[in-house]
């Protein structure tokens, strides 16, 4: 992961969400308000120009993304399902009494920014690499910050999440918390992923949930992105955001148990979407 520049993959997810807003049928899947909020954050952060956003909204861009599905089948629409899955989980756990939401590797995700005013009694935290977090913070400030949204710039490969959050004046490690790790785990080493789940258990109270997406390990031991895995992995490596880890879905329950979590396999939406899998666990 390059340290000096804002994340390209976070930018791509944001632009994808804008394009999905123009794809017929996606309005039934995408969370309400996400497309407009993503457009605003991308522009206010200086991550994308008004022109890029206008082009992303066009049917031409939708067709282009659909065409690219030859390389990662189903991945374009999967971003809509991913956002819907994570937000549904967050809302459900807030309804059940969670007092904190933590979005890891947040990129230009707008969940915290949209939900913070709706749930003033809940504290929303985001952590991302400093280069991306600083840019996002600029956008959030320009659009109007939220009193209960805290953006933290840290490289989780350099500093432990436990240390980052324990040093934060608002973090309550005994509170029921929802942690979202969307499109993040594959960019961390296997050891860092294990450590992240262990730390997540250590900094959250009973009733917490972790919502995550991951890539499955293929028969050859590499992260499986389908038929064109070699090409996909090469592109990601060339853009200096390589996928570093994956797990076999059948090994997930055991991995979660070892790290202090209980897998919730029956949860609606878990399983494969595009080249990713969605998962959720509780403690
Ligand atoms: C594919 S993007 C996903 C962004 C967002 N979760 C979404 O789905 O819209 C991956 C994000 O993880 C962040 N990230 C990757 N490695 C990280 C690390 N070591 N520490 C903090 N953030 C990291 C990147 O900066 C980027 O914003």
């Amino acid at each position: 992961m390059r340290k000096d520049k804002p994340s390209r993959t976070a930018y791509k997810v944001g632009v994808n969400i804008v394009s999905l807003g123009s794809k017929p049928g996606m309005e039934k899947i995408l969370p309400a308000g996400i497309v407009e909020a993503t457009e605003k954050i991308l522009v206010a952060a200086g991550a994308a120009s008004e022109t890029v956003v206008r082009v992303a909204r066009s049917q031409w861009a939708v067709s282009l993304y659909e065409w690219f599905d030859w390389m990662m089948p189903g991945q374009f629409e999967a971003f809509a399902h991913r956002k819907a899955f994570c937000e549904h989980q967050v809302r459900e756990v807030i309804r059940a009494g969670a007092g904190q939401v933590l979005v890891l590797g947040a990129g230009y995700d707008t969940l915290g920014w949209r939900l913070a005013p709706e749930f003033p009694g809940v504290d929303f935290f985001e952590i991302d690499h400093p280069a991306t977090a600083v840019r996002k913070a600029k956008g959030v400030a320009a659009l109007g910050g939220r009193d209960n949204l805290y953006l933290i710039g840290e490289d989780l490969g350099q500093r432990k999440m436990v240390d980052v959050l324990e040093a934060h004046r608002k973090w309550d490690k005994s509170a029921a918390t929802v942690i979202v790790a969307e499109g993040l785990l594959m960019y961390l080493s296997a050891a860092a992923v294990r450590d992240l789940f262990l730390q997540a258990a250590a900094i959250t109270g009973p009733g917490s949930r972790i919502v995550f997406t991951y890539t499955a390990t293929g028969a050859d031991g590499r992260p499986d992105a389908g038929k064109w895995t070699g090409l996909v992995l090469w592109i990601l490596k060339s853009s200096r955001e390589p996928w570093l880890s994956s797990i076999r879905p059948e090994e997930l329950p055991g991995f979660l148990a070892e790290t202090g979590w209980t897998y919730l396999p029956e949860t609606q939406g878990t399983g494969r979407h595009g080249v990713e899998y969605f998962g959720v666990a509780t403690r």
Side-chain angles (χ1 to χ4, degrees):
M1 169 99 222
R2 55 189 188 192
K3 317 237 179 250
D4 50 332
K5 296 215 172 90
S7 165
R8 287 297 294 172
T9 55
Y11 163 82
K12 281 183 195 149
V13 177
V15 173
N16 235 293
I17 297 302
V18 174
S19 295
L20 281 163
S22 299
K23 183 173 160 74
M26 288 298 106
E27 68 285 354
K28 295 195 196 88
I29 295 165
L30 286 162
I34 191 173
V35 176
E36 299 74 14
T38 306
E39 290 177 358
K40 283 186 190 160
I41 290 266
L42 284 171
V43 173
S49 63
E50 298 268 9
T51 308
V52 165
V53 166
R54 212 170 25 251
V55 172
R57 262 191 232 127
S58 68
Q59 285 310 311
W60 177 84
V62 172
S63 304
L64 187 69
Y65 276 122
E66 284 174 336
W67 180 78
F68 264 110
D69 266 6
W70 66 262
M71 194 167 37
M72 296 168 99
Q75 192 56 32
F76 180 39
E77 278 198 19
F79 284 118
H81 292 281
R82 191 167 107 175
K83 292 288 174 199
F85 175 72
C86 293
E87 185 158 332
H88 176 75
Q89 286 298 318
V90 168
R91 286 181 176 279
E92 201 170 270
V93 191
I94 289 177
R95 257 197 305 275
Q100 298 180 139
V101 177
L102 168 63
V103 182
L104 297 171
Y108 303 107
D109 180 72
T110 60
L111 182 138
W113 189 70
R114 286 180 296 110
L115 270 57
E118 190 181 332
F119 299 104
V122 175
D123 284 324
F124 291 80
F125 301 81
E126 294 187 359
I127 303 181
D128 205 314
H129 234 268
T132 309
V134 165
R135 182 162 268 195
K136 169 92 168 273
K138 183 181 145 202
V140 167
L143 294 175
R146 314 299 201 197
D147 291 343
N148 52 336
L149 171 63
Y150 309 99
L151 270 54
I152 304 168
E154 283 289 350
D155 179 349
L156 293 174
Q158 295 291 315
R159 195 163 169 225
K160 281 193 176 285
M161 181 171 72
V162 187
D163 296 336
V164 173
L165 291 170
E166 283 185 346
H168 198 286
R169 69 190 166 85
K170 293 297 285 186
W171 187 261
D172 175 3
K173 65 191 279 192
S174 64
T177 302
V178 202
I179 299 183
V180 179
E182 182 196 346
L184 171 71
L185 302 181
M186 53 289 262
Y187 297 98
L188 306 178
S189 68
V193 172
R194 176 171 291 272
D195 197 37
L196 186 139
F197 277 81
L198 286 166
Q199 291 181 60
I203 49 148
T204 53
S208 294
R209 249 180 225 201
I210 186 159
V211 187
F212 53 94
T213 68
Y214 65 99
T215 39
T217 307
D220 58 4
R222 295 184 302 176
D224 179 15
K227 192 171 156 197
W228 296 97
T229 289
L231 178 62
V232 171
L233 296 182
W234 178 81
I235 291 171
L236 288 162
K237 196 171 170 194
S238 305
S239 59
R240 296 173 65 191
E241 294 189 44
W243 280 355
L244 299 177
S245 67
S246 56
I247 186 166
R248 292 190 169 80
E250 61 275 19
E251 290 170 6
L252 189 62
F255 166 82
L256 289 166
E258 283 163 26
T259 53
W261 295 91
T262 304
Y263 187 38
L264 297 173
E266 302 308 328
T267 308
Q268 189 190 345
T270 54
R272 188 170 184 147
H273 298 265
V275 301
E276 270 181 292
Y277 283 73
F278 302 171
V280 58
T282 189
R283 62 177 296 270

